[in-house]
Amino acid sequence: MVGIDVVHVSRIENVCDMSAFIDKYFSVREKKYVFDKNERTRAQTVAGLFAAKEAVLKAFKIGLGRGIALKDIEILHDESGSPYLDITVDVSQLLEKSGHTGADISISHDGDYAVAVCQLF
């Protein structure tokens, strides 16, 4: 199963209260990652992470607010900077129900767009 999502970075930049948006949709570890970025790249980072969370939902064929909250889908980065889906209890249950054991995540940026893909395996 594959999910893909694209986010227009300016849509994130135009959020009235970026901190409230981040608090609503991102875990503590994701917030640290976002706020470690400089202001110039912060919106691009948020857009990429948000696209990845949406791609995960699409890969599981569930909609926003149906079975798991975006805050519970945690996209982290390894030592090389590659994104990965942290397997929380909620994600583990979704994997089990769908007959999959894990997921690969890829995030890319180009200009004012961020795109992410999630492939379940």
Side-chain angles (χ1 to χ4, degrees):
M1 308 275 267
V2 174
I4 186 169
D5 194 64
V6 63
V7 173
H8 201 241
V9 176
S10 63
R11 186 175 126 209
I12 300 299
E13 290 172 333
N14 293 330
V15 169
C16 293
D17 186 346
M18 176 85 73
S19 292
F21 179 85
I22 292 169
D23 282 340
K24 182 175 182 176
Y25 296 115
F26 294 87
S27 72
V28 171
R29 293 186 292 179
E30 289 170 324
K31 286 190 267 190
K32 181 181 177 345
Y33 181 79
V34 165
F35 286 112
D36 281 348
K37 300 291 182 184
N38 64 45
E39 264 191 65
R40 187 179 62 81
T41 60
R42 190 168 297 145
Q44 191 175 42
T45 300
V46 170
L49 291 173
F50 193 80
K53 290 170 178 272
E54 290 276 334
V56 168
L57 290 177
K58 290 175 180 180
F60 282 115
K61 299 195 181 303
I62 57 176
L64 188 59
R66 295 194 176 136
I68 190 167
L70 284 181
K71 201 170 196 171
D72 296 327
I73 299 170
E74 197 170 22
I75 309 298
L76 302 177
H77 295 78
D78 65 18
E79 308 80 40
S80 70
S82 296
Y84 67 92
L85 176 64
D86 188 44
I87 306 299
T88 63
V89 172
D90 293 327
V91 171
S92 179
Q93 290 172 350
L94 284 174
L95 285 168
E96 188 177 313
K97 285 180 186 176
S98 69
H100 295 90
T101 58
D104 284 329
I105 301 287
S106 183
I107 302 171
S108 187
H109 302 87
D110 187 13
D112 201 28
Y113 293 93
V115 65
V117 175
C118 172
Q119 180 173 8
L120 303 179
F121 56 85

